[in-house]
Structures are given as structure tokens and as C-alpha cells.
Amino acid sequence: MPVWLECANCGREHTIPERADDPETGGTQCPECGAKSYAIRRAGLAWHPDP
């Protein structure tokens, strides 16, 4: 199941290895805009599939 991240600030989609660590404040940041908030997206999820 493919997984990717979507930046909550600029909307850029990227993978976890593309997010650089921020040594000063901790955590990771978007490679495009530097924001730290993001949403995790997954392909192929089926919530409550029909039986």
C-alpha cells in the first residue's frame, strides 16, 4: 500500500525520506516550503467495505 505525505501549508506531495530533519527545533519539514504540518495519504484504503 503506497504511502505519501501532503504538506498542510503548500500541498506538495512527497515521501518520508524527502522530508529533511530540522536540527534546531526537531521534527521534519516540507522540502518545498519548510512547514512542519502534514497529512498522511495512503492508496488503496477501503473504509468499511461492503461485505
Side-chain angles (χ1 to χ4, degrees), residues 1-8 12-16 19 28 36-43 45 47:
M1 180 179 318
V3 176
W4 66 95
L5 304 176
E6 182 180 308
C7 179
R12 181 173 188 256
E13 293 180 352
H14 50 280
T15 62
I16 293 169
R19 289 182 66 89
T28 61
K36 292 189 175 192
S37 57
Y38 58 90
I40 298 172
R41 305 289 186 206
R42 292 189 175 127
L45 285 180
W47 298 100

Side-chain angles (χ1 to χ4, degrees), residues 21-28 36:
D21 288 333
D22 184 348
E24 293 182 13
T25 59
T28 61
K36 292 189 175 192

